[in-house]
């Protein structure tokens, strides 16, 4: 016999500009709680959604440290873009990659048109609502510290040909080519006695560029609250080595959340998140390394990187530099007032600022013309949002609830 799970039905779901009990929600939504995110020990918040959100397709862009995820909730838009709108603590347009996963209280994904409609046409690809952790009213001051270390290892689910086995395979392909193309010069050159078309090296490029990737993650949180105010302050440090030499990432986060009850009907609060990312991007990959010719050496007879193919080999490419410095600041100042029975007015001013600096350099020994090259660029993004909403919530006859919201937003 089926029994009603009243506890589950009374849970609330975050929707556009408010919350609703799960049993009253008619739209398609997915909820992922913060404790489930913490168990997965992911480097980014979207990584935790991969195994927690049915009906949502999430793929890593690449395996490099710092690279994000591609998320598909409601298909692609007219320009092929599948990115949803991210709403962080009630503010649309935030950067979810700037958040420490340990600071997240819950993530709600709005999948259908009815749930997303309040955000307009920009929510055509879906909405991801992120609620961060805050202090609890009436709780004692609490200090928590977490540290973990993780090792990432490439799974060898394939076999690569090396040395004499690779050369013998190439010669067999050359013989088969001549059956259909007897005049193929490259195949004839490979099969000539004492041919130099194939090198004599036995280089395992995969092993030469890979490394054991170690992740360190530490976060410190101080929280507490009283009848008048509640607060939460968190600091985190994340360091990750890539599985390819030359790739690594360091991210530093600081977050402040506080709310004060000035009067029984009046509240003010601040949410601020600051992050700094120091990222080195690898200039080669395990995929390109495993496909590079194993008959070529790393260095030539002069002790320089072998450039016989006219391009740098995978090991040489690890000496290229592609460095990013990323500064992000997201903040919200808000006020709430209970005007009358069931009426609540909220006004908030939010800002999102990002500054990126990229430097790249390729040394002269990686060029056939013996020329070094480099570049530098700066990118700045800023956004301000001013939201004003009036919410009405009234329960009558113990079985009926009227919940309405009206508002205006300036960006």
């Amino acid at each position: 016999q089926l029994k009603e799970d009243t506890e589950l039905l009374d849970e609330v779901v975050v929707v556009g500009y408010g919350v609703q009990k799960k049993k009253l929600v008619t739209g398609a939504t997915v909820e992922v709680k913060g404790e489930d995110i913490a168990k997965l020990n992911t480097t980014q918040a979207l990584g935790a959604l991969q195994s927690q959100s049915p009906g949502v397709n999430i793929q890593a862009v690449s395996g490099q440290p710092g690279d994000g995820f591609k998320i598909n909730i409601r298909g692609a838009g007219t320009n092929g873009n599948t990115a949803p709108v991210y709403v962080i603590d009630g503010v649309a347009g935030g950067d979810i990659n700037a958040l420490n996963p340990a600071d997240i209280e819950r993530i709600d994904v709005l999948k259908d048109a009815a749930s997303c409609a309040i955000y307009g046409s920009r929510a055509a690809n879906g909405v991801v609502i992120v609620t961060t952790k805050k202090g609890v009213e009436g709780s004692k001051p609490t200090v928590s510290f977490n540290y973990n270390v993780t090792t990432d290892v490439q799974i060898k689910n394939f076999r690569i040909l090396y040395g004499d086995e690779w050369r013998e395979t190439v010669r067999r392909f050359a013989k088969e080519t001549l059956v259909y193309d007897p005049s193929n010069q490259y195949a004839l050159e490979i099969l000539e006695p004492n041919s130099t078309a194939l090198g004599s090296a036995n280089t395992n490029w995969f092993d030469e560029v890979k490394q054991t990737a170690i992740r360190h993650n530490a976060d410190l949180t101080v929280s507490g609250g009283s009848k008048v105010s509640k607060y939460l302050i968190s600091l985190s440090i994340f360091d990750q080595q890539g599985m390819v030499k030359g790739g690594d990432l360091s991210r530093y986060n600081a977050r402040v959340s506080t709310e004060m009850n000035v009067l029984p009907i009046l509240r003010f609060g601040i949410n601020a998140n600051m992050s700094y990312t120091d990222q080195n991007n690898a200039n080669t990959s395990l995929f390109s390394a495993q496909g590079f010719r194993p008959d070529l050496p790393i260095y030539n007879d002069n002790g320089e990187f072998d450039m016989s193919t006219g391009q740098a080999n995978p090991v040489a490419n690890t000496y290229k530099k592609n460095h990013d410095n990323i500064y992000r600041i997201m903040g919200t100042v808000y006020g709430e007032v209970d005007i009358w029975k069931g009426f609540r007015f909220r006004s908030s001013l939010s800002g999102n600022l990002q500054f990126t600096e990229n430097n790249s350099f390729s040394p002269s020994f990686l060029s056939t013309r013996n020329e070094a090259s480099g570049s530098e660029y700066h990118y700045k993004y800023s956004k301000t949002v001013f939201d004003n909403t009036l919410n009405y919530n009234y329960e009558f006859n113990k079985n009926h609830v009227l919940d309405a919201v009206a508002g205006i937003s300036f960006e």
Side-chain angles (χ1 to χ4, degrees):
Q1 182 180 2
L2 296 177
K3 294 182 179 180
E4 182 182 50
D5 191 341
T6 56
E7 181 179 352
L8 178 62
L9 292 175
D10 286 335
E11 287 185 359
V12 296
V13 176
V14 180
V15 293
Y17 299 99
V19 297
Q20 289 184 356
K21 287 186 178 180
K22 181 174 289 187
K23 62 183 178 182
L24 300 178
V25 175
T26 58
T29 64
V30 175
E31 175 196 357
V32 180
K33 296 182 178 180
E35 51 263 32
D36 295 327
I37 296 176
K39 292 176 184 177
L40 296 175
N41 189 28
T42 58
T43 62
Q44 296 184 34
L46 289 179
L49 292 179
Q50 283 185 299
S51 58
Q52 305 283 331
S53 50
V56 180
N57 183 17
I58 302 175
Q59 296 178 330
V61 175
S62 74
Q64 289 201 46
D67 275 4
F69 292 82
K70 182 178 180 181
I71 180 170
N72 190 331
I73 300 175
R74 304 190 65 239
T78 55
N79 59 355
N81 182 26
T82 64
V85 173
Y86 295 102
V87 181
I88 300 175
D89 287 331
V91 182
D95 186 356
I96 194 172
N97 294 321
L99 295 177
N100 175 19
D103 288 334
I104 295 177
E105 180 69 28
R106 61 186 293 164
I107 298 178
D108 292 87
V109 182
L110 310 184
K111 299 194 293 183
D112 67 334
S115 302
C116 303
I118 195 169
Y119 292 104
S121 60
R122 62 182 173 179
N125 293 335
V127 179
V128 177
I129 301 179
V130 182
T131 305
T132 58
K133 294 179 180 178
K134 297 175 177 59
V136 179
E137 183 176 331
S139 63
K140 295 181 180 180
T142 303
V143 179
S144 64
F145 177 77
N146 294 297
Y147 171 79
N148 60 73
V149 58
T150 307
T151 301
D152 296 327
V153 180
Q154 170 69 30
I155 299 176
K156 288 188 175 181
N157 53 0
F158 51 84
R159 192 174 76 89
I160 304 174
L161 298 178
Y162 293 110
D164 293 335
E165 187 180 13
W166 182 86
R167 279 181 282 270
E168 184 60 32
T169 301
V170 173
R171 293 189 181 100
R172 178 166 55 85
F173 288 162
K175 293 178 181 178
E176 294 175 355
T177 299
L178 292 177
V179 173
Y180 301 97
D181 185 11
S183 61
N184 188 291
Q185 293 298 318
Y186 189 55
L188 292 171
E189 183 180 355
I190 291 175
L191 296 175
E192 286 181 358
N194 302 320
S195 171
T196 59
L198 302 179
S200 60
N202 295 306
T203 307
N204 188 329
W205 295 106
F206 187 89
D207 289 341
E208 292 292 340
V209 302
K210 76 172 184 178
Q211 65 180 3
T212 300
I214 301 176
R215 287 185 278 154
H216 300 272
N217 191 19
D219 57 82
L220 174 68
T221 303
V222 180
S223 63
S226 64
K227 293 183 179 180
V228 178
S229 64
K230 53 185 178 181
Y231 62 90
L232 184 145
I233 302 172
S234 68
L235 302 171
S236 65
I237 299 176
F238 174 74
D239 183 81
Q240 179 183 12
Q241 287 182 316
M243 287 186 286
V244 178
K245 294 177 181 178
D248 59 71
L249 170 75
S250 296
R251 186 179 63 219
Y252 307 88
N253 281 77
R255 197 173 73 86
V256 177
S257 175
T258 180
E259 183 176 282
M260 180 173 294
N261 298 324
V262 180
L263 296 172
I265 63 169
L266 182 61
R267 295 166 295 280
F268 289 99
I270 297 175
N271 291 318
N273 184 84
M274 295 151 284
S275 70
Y276 166 65
T277 303
D278 184 359
Q279 179 177 351
N280 287 304
N281 302 295
N283 289 279
T284 189
S285 67
L286 296 177
F287 180 80
S288 62
Q290 72 187 26
F292 205 80
R293 289 176 54 176
D295 63 320
L296 300 178
I298 301 175
Y299 304 98
N300 58 26
D301 295 337
N302 298 325
E304 301 173 342
F305 282 112
D306 181 72
M307 303 281 288
S308 58
T309 61
Q311 59 181 348
N313 60 52
V315 174
N317 280 327
T318 62
Y319 286 84
K320 292 181 180 179
K321 301 298 180 183
N322 187 355
H323 181 258
D324 288 318
N325 287 313
I326 306 173
Y327 304 84
R328 298 184 180 100
I329 300 176
M330 293 187 299
T332 302
V333 180
Y334 65 90
E336 291 183 349
V337 58
D338 297 327
I339 301 175
W340 195 54
K341 295 180 180 180
F343 284 95
R344 174 177 294 179
F345 177 75
R346 175 186 171 97
S347 182
S348 66
L349 179 63
S350 307
N352 186 1
L353 176 65
Q354 176 177 326
F355 178 75
T356 302
E357 178 186 70
N358 173 270
N359 295 280
S360 61
F361 177 74
S362 179
S364 58
F365 58 77
L366 298 182
S367 169
T368 55
R369 300 167 59 181
N370 200 32
E371 294 179 352
S373 61
S375 64
E376 177 178 339
Y377 81 83
H378 300 265
Y379 168 77
K380 182 179 180 181
Y381 168 83
S382 62
K383 182 178 183 179
T384 304
V385 181
F386 183 40
D387 283 332
N388 297 275
T389 57
L390 178 64
N391 183 271
Y392 178 68
N393 185 282
Y394 181 69
E395 181 177 351
F396 54 96
N397 294 337
K398 295 183 180 180
N399 295 317
H400 304 281
V401 176
L402 175 62
D403 193 347
V405 62
I408 186 170
S409 179
F410 303 92
E411 296 187 11

